[in-house]
Amino acid sequence: MVDTDETHSNMAARPPRFVFFVVFCITIGGLLFGYDTGVISGALVVIKDEWDLNSTQQEFIVGGTTLGAIVGGLFSGYFADRWGRRTITFLSSLVFILGALIMTFSKHYSVLIGGRVVVGLAVGAASMVVPIYIGELAPKEFRGRLVTLNVLAITGGQLIAYLVSWGLADVHDGWRWMFAISAFPAAIQLCCLPWLPESPRVLIQRGQDERAHSILRRIYGNKVPESAVDDELESMRRSMRTETAASYRDLLRTVNFKPLIVACMLQLMQQFSGFNTAMYYSATILKMAGFSSTKSATQFSIAIAATNMLMTIVAISIIDRFGRRKLLLISFTGMIIGLVLLGIAFIFIVGLVKITKDTCGEYIKCGACALDDRCNWSPGSMVCAPKSSTLYTDLTDNCEPVNGRDKAGTWLALASLIFYVALYAVGLGNVPWLVQSEIFAQGIRSRAGSIATATNWVSNFVVSVTFLTMTLHITASGTFWLYAGILLLGLVFVFFMVPETKGLKLEDVQRLFVGTGLPYRRRQAVSRKNSQSSSAVGSRSTSGEIANAQLLRGSQE
């Protein structure tokens, strides 16, 4: 029998075109995820004036998608196991279209909120199922790059949303077109679905081994011998025969609970790093930092979104070579540095001032004055005054740098924000989704993934509704340094608890969490045991047999 690992090492430098077609069709869900979460920033600027919305109503419009995503992410895992990954992808496309139509033709505030919640359901389902779907279809040598393509689609969707918002800002009913555009990618995905295969692992669970073999043959291409495909199929069969987890209660078993903690913590850190607030409020942050107008701040926001997308492309090119763990450690370290520098920049611009003064006149810097909704700045008199004041004719909320210190702080803020975003995109922006698709056993993967995805969206909601409040009460610098402190704790967690999964079959990865040792140390031990077991079992044994024997022994420990 052909050795599967040896055969895979002789695979072509790139997977077959069929794999790229499948991944392209699936990642349209990621594009819609990015677009629908990004487009609201531009649309809301117009809607709030057209419908005369207060701040609470605006928060509900923004939060509607997040709340829907929490529900969609939490429950889609259950249905993905019952109906399959392909069916959930189909349903999420339909829901994306339905939500887009509701928002486009909404005439009342409550209808718009309903449309945002409907889109959120699709966003949550897509954010859960797409990484798992790709991870189960991708050859292990290319799994990191192919799953990370979904993150590239998300960042691309966000960038497109910023550009569309910019282009339609002055168009009559432009905000309706912003929402309508999201229906077109979903329609394209629906057209692709007849050619999308179901996950081979799902088909094996259903007893459809011949269909699973046919799909594996197309995934690995003609350059891989038939015996290697047979070995892969047998490895999946044997792995599933050893699995008993079939409900949410089974997540409490040690062998499942450890990876669940890792997945949820990584998703928690992705949001508590403050990145999404940096994206949602990038124009606000840059305006606080001294960029004189909303237009210039928005232009730099587009540059930041482009940085996120470009560095995601870099991550795709190196993730299977560098590994997930190393990129996370680099990413956490760089983001901490970026946030510390961003906090220092804001000391130059705003100062360590809490935006809780009794009167506007107590603010001595324009940046602090502009953060208080009651106040505006007089550049001519260099004082902060109430917006209703008639003593000054030049009141504005735009802050021009007036000296070298302010200018240095402004550009340091921009540079540190771009550096922070770049390091996020290289690691923390994509690795949690990839690791989440790898570390769970087949029988529990969707359910565990749904809990991790819901953790991401719940923490997203918490951070997004507290960011501006924290800048008022613990200062902008204090807020950025708080995020840096959280990331420092995350760095320690990653060092001790997150193992390297590159180059391992999905059926092998869970063994990294078996036993009482720290997961990051298990890689070498597993490799040694694999080598010893391979010698003992002989050339007829597949890697799947060895993996499952180890897993059974570990579960009994």
Side-chain angles (χ1 to χ4, degrees), residues 471-484:
T471 63
L472 297 180
H473 290 86
I474 63 172
T475 76
S477 296
T479 301
F480 298 131
W481 290 340
L482 175 62
Y483 291 150

Side-chain angles (χ1 to χ4, degrees), residues 143 239-240 242-245 250-251 253-260 435 437-445 448 499-501 504-515 519 522-523 526 547-548 550-552 554-555:
R143 189 172 62 239
S239 176
M240 291 176 191
T242 66
E243 294 173 6
T244 59
D250 290 304
L251 286 168
R253 294 173 54 211
T254 301
V255 72
N256 295 320
F257 191 67
K258 282 185 180 179
L260 181 64
V435 169
S437 72
E438 295 178 320
I439 60 178
F440 298 109
Q442 174 66 24
I444 207 69
R445 187 172 294 136
E500 183 53 70
T501 60
L504 293 177
K505 291 182 181 181
L506 294 178
E507 284 70 32
D508 294 341
V509 170
Q510 197 188 20
R511 292 166 47 231
L512 299 172
F513 297 92
V514 170
R522 296 286 299 171
R523 172 87 186 205
V526 166
N548 292 312
Q550 294 288 341
L551 184 56
L552 281 172
S555 300

Side-chain angles (χ1 to χ4, degrees), residues 214-234:
S214 175
I215 292 169
L216 285 173
R217 175 76 277 170
R218 298 187 71 186
I219 288 172
Y220 283 103
N222 296 326
K223 295 187 178 181
V224 174
E226 189 71 20
S227 56
V229 177
D230 292 338
D231 282 352
E232 185 76 10
L233 187 68
E234 183 61 23

Side-chain angles (χ1 to χ4, degrees), residues 490-557:
L491 179 64
V492 174
F493 177 83
V494 169
F495 183 82
F496 287 105
M497 293 301 296
V498 178
E500 183 53 70
T501 60
K502 71 171 183 178
L504 293 177
K505 291 182 181 181
L506 294 178
E507 284 70 32
D508 294 341
V509 170
Q510 197 188 20
R511 292 166 47 231
L512 299 172
F513 297 92
V514 170
T516 57
L518 293 172
Y520 86 100
R521 291 179 174 173
R522 296 286 299 171
R523 172 87 186 205
Q524 291 181 343
V526 166
S527 299
R528 286 196 302 269
K529 289 180 180 179
N530 259 346
S531 177
Q532 294 169 359
S533 299
S534 296
S535 299
V537 175
S539 60
R540 293 190 303 170
S541 295
T542 67
S543 59
E545 290 174 286
I546 300 166
N548 292 312
Q550 294 288 341
L551 184 56
L552 281 172
R553 286 199 295 271
S555 300
Q556 296 168 355
E557 290 176 0

